[in-house]
């Protein structure tokens, strides 16, 4: 039995998270731009500017966390998941909010505020004294077990954006001009996957805690699920899907990073959004310790191996797996990461896909 398995067996509270940091190298990208920007060269209205944030007086490119999640969910759909249908009701939209049937509702969370008509045992709608259908509140909310950051450029893009002037001129008359900004950068992001919450739901009638209706709660238990205690409040019961289903959903979520694709302007500014670098580990607790390993040095992106080593040493007691690092050949070849041990935590190194595959096997020991 490994040291990690021994610790898992001894843990009184088994709150395990997949923690990860990724780097994505893009050239001439226009992934998630927004509207008009004062820097457009022709002063035209039809523009698309780089989404950006400022830190210490400098400008950094941004891809919204929602966009990253959209690509991720889409990859899971292309990999075989049946994605939850979207329902539009006046000014709101929501998914089916049925995590028993739709794995993406489970992993990505949802909020659905609605009322259903009450029906009797014959399936007939029950009405009140005025003949109006009786309705019952079936509002449900689920906080996503998968949490991710925005993607931001590691190095500043001050004065490094390209204003691409274009025209639509395949018609009679004056051409229609438009302009978009693009950039080349290494984007950094991080995510955490709460393994205890995957496939686990409450029906407590309390804001933010009613993940499923009483009907769905019972269906989970009737279809091979079990009832388990909340990690910190034994008075709260939770319905949990069978282990094999929870494990598969967690693995599929991580494995989808091998085929993730997306981004705006793909027809003319196509870039790969698959990670060129990834670090993965399972830790006890929800704080991602890999947030500072990407660094800017002389105006370019690089990796701080010192920060990685410090993160491992400072958090040794919380590790429930070794550290898996994938790096693509041709990306930051000047940064040499060797397989080694840091305070008895092994750093395993290989290609991105290989390390994602190897890490996915670790989930067999931590999805309980």
């Amino acid at each position: 039995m490994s040291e990690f398995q021994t610790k898992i067996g001894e843990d009184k509270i088994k709150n395990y998270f997949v923690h990860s940091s990724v780097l994505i190298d893009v050239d001439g990208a226009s992934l998630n731009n927004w509207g008009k920007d004062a820097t457009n060269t022709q002063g035209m209205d039809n523009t698309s500017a780089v989404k950006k944030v400022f830190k210490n007086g400098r400008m950094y490119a941004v891809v919204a966390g929602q966009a990253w999640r959209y690509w991720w969910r889409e990859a899971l759909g292309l990999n075989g998941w049946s994605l939850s249908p979207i329902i539009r009701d006046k000014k709101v939209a929501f998914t089916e909010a049925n995590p028993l049937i739709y794995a993406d509702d489970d992993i990505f969370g949802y909020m659905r505020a609605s009322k259903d008509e009450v029906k009797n045992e014959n399936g007939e709608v029950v009405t009140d004294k005025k003949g109006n259908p009786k309705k019952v509140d079936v509002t449900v909310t689920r906080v996503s077990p998968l949490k991710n950051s925005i993607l931001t450029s590691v190095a500043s893009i001050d004065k490094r954006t390209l204003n691409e002037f274009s025209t639509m001129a395949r018609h009679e008359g004056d051409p229609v001009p438009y302009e978009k900004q693009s950039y080349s950068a290494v984007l950094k992001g991080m995510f955490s996957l709460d393994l205890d919450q995957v496939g686990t739901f409450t029906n407590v009638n309390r804001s933010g805690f009613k993940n499923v209706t009483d009907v769905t709660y019972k269906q989970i238990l009737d279809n091979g699920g079990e009832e388990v205690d909340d990690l910190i409040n034994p008075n709260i019961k939770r319905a949990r899907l069978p282990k094999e289903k929870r494990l598969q959903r967690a693995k599929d979520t991580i494995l989808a990073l091998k085929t993730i694709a997306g981004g705006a302007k793909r027809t003319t500014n196509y870039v790969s959004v698959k990670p060129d670098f990834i670090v993965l580990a399972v830790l006890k607790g929800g704080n991602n310790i890999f947030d500072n390993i990407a660094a800017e040095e002389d105006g370019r992106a690089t990796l701080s191996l010192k920060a990685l080593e410090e993160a491992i040493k400072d958090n040794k007691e919380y590790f429930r797996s070794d550290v898996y690092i994938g790096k693509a050949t041709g990306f930051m070849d000047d940064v040499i990461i060797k397989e080694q041990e840091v305070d008895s935590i092994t750093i395993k190194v290989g290609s991105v896909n290989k390390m994602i595959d190897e890490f996915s096997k670790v989930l067999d020991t931590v999805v309980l």
Side-chain angles (χ1 to χ4, degrees):
M1 182 178 290
S2 71
E3 178 185 352
F4 298 122
Q5 288 174 305
T6 300
K7 288 182 177 180
I8 291 168
E10 294 173 347
D11 285 334
K12 182 178 179 181
I13 298 178
K14 304 179 188 297
N15 60 324
Y16 305 133
F17 292 75
V18 174
H19 288 309
S20 177
S21 183
V22 304
L23 296 178
I24 304 168
D25 191 13
V26 296
D27 288 317
S30 188
L31 287 169
N32 183 220
N33 285 4
W34 51 15
K36 186 176 180 180
D37 187 282
T39 62
N40 77 82
T41 57
Q42 305 297 318
M44 64 183 69
D45 291 327
N46 192 3
T47 66
S48 177
V50 172
K51 193 172 289 184
K52 48 190 169 288
V53 294
F54 290 86
K55 184 176 181 180
N56 298 327
R58 305 186 70 188
M59 182 173 73
Y60 297 84
V62 167
V63 175
Q66 184 180 13
W68 192 15
R69 291 172 76 81
Y70 182 89
W71 308 335
W72 206 329
R73 198 171 196 148
E74 193 174 61
L76 285 161
L78 292 173
N79 287 350
W81 278 18
S82 178
L83 299 183
S84 182
I86 298 171
I87 302 162
R88 180 69 185 265
D89 182 16
K90 297 180 181 178
K91 294 185 178 181
V92 298
F94 42 81
T95 65
E96 188 69 24
N98 189 336
L100 174 61
I101 298 175
Y102 301 107
D104 62 316
D105 273 342
D106 179 8
I107 298 298
F108 291 89
Y110 49 80
M111 183 180 74
R112 178 176 181 173
S114 60
K115 292 183 178 181
D116 284 351
E117 293 179 343
V118 177
K119 297 182 179 181
N120 61 25
E121 57 186 15
N122 297 321
E124 301 166 333
V125 176
V126 178
T127 59
D128 59 22
K129 293 180 179 180
K130 295 182 178 180
N132 298 317
K134 287 187 177 181
K135 293 187 177 182
V136 60
D137 189 0
V138 290
T139 297
V140 288
T141 305
R142 175 164 174 79
V143 176
S144 170
L146 176 65
K147 298 171 177 62
N148 62 273
S149 69
I150 61 174
L151 299 173
T152 59
S153 60
V154 178
S156 166
I157 60 166
D158 288 338
K159 300 180 182 179
R160 297 183 187 180
T161 57
L162 171 66
N163 288 69
E164 295 187 66
F165 176 78
S166 306
T167 61
M168 173 56 179
R170 294 173 52 235
H171 57 281
E172 291 187 13
D174 295 335
V176 178
Y178 61 95
E179 189 171 283
K180 67 176 179 292
Q181 288 184 333
S182 60
Y183 55 89
S184 294
V186 175
L187 303 173
K188 65 177 179 179
M190 61 180 180
F191 69 86
S192 291
L193 179 62
D194 186 339
L195 298 174
D196 174 71
Q197 288 297 320
V198 173
T200 308
F201 315 96
T202 62
N203 65 341
V204 178
N205 192 18
R206 176 181 164 196
S207 179
F209 284 80
K210 193 172 182 65
N211 304 151
V212 293
T213 64
D214 293 342
V215 172
T216 304
Y217 191 95
K218 185 176 183 301
Q219 287 177 337
I220 293 171
L221 300 181
D222 290 343
N223 286 273
E226 61 176 333
E227 195 168 53
V228 297
D229 291 339
D230 183 73
L231 288 182
I232 58 177
N233 188 343
N235 295 321
I236 296 178
K237 301 297 181 182
R238 303 179 296 165
R240 172 166 281 176
L241 296 175
K243 177 181 175 179
E244 60 271 17
K245 183 171 286 190
R246 298 176 61 239
L247 178 60
Q248 193 59 57
R249 288 182 176 184
K251 284 187 175 183
D252 287 349
T253 301
I254 302 302
L255 292 171
L257 290 169
K258 298 194 299 180
T259 56
I260 190 170
K265 313 298 182 185
R266 275 182 276 179
T267 53
T268 57
N269 293 69
Y270 177 76
V271 296
S272 169
V273 294
K274 174 187 171 183
D276 294 285
F277 168 88
I278 189 168
V279 53
L280 291 153
V282 174
L283 282 90
K284 188 174 186 290
N287 287 322
N288 194 317
I289 66 170
F290 302 119
D291 57 333
N292 290 322
I293 61 176
E296 181 177 3
E297 185 178 281
D298 297 328
R300 66 185 184 91
T302 188
L303 288 166
S304 173
L305 300 185
K306 183 178 179 181
L308 174 63
E309 182 177 339
E310 181 181 277
I312 294 173
K313 288 182 176 179
D314 281 357
N315 296 278
K316 175 188 172 183
E317 63 184 292
Y318 303 112
F319 276 88
R320 295 299 180 266
S321 81
D322 288 318
V323 176
Y324 293 74
I325 294 180
K327 189 163 81 70
T329 301
F331 176 71
M332 292 189 183
D333 284 342
D334 57 319
V335 179
I336 308 300
I337 306 174
K338 298 180 180 179
E339 290 203 358
Q340 57 184 295
E341 281 198 2
V342 177
D343 277 8
S344 77
I345 305 296
T346 301
I347 298 177
K348 300 178 182 290
V349 183
S351 67
V352 172
N353 281 12
K354 181 180 178 180
M355 288 298 99
I356 290 175
D357 285 335
E358 288 296 312
F359 176 77
S360 70
K361 300 173 185 177
V362 172
L363 299 181
D364 293 336
T365 64
V366 288
V367 175
L368 306 174

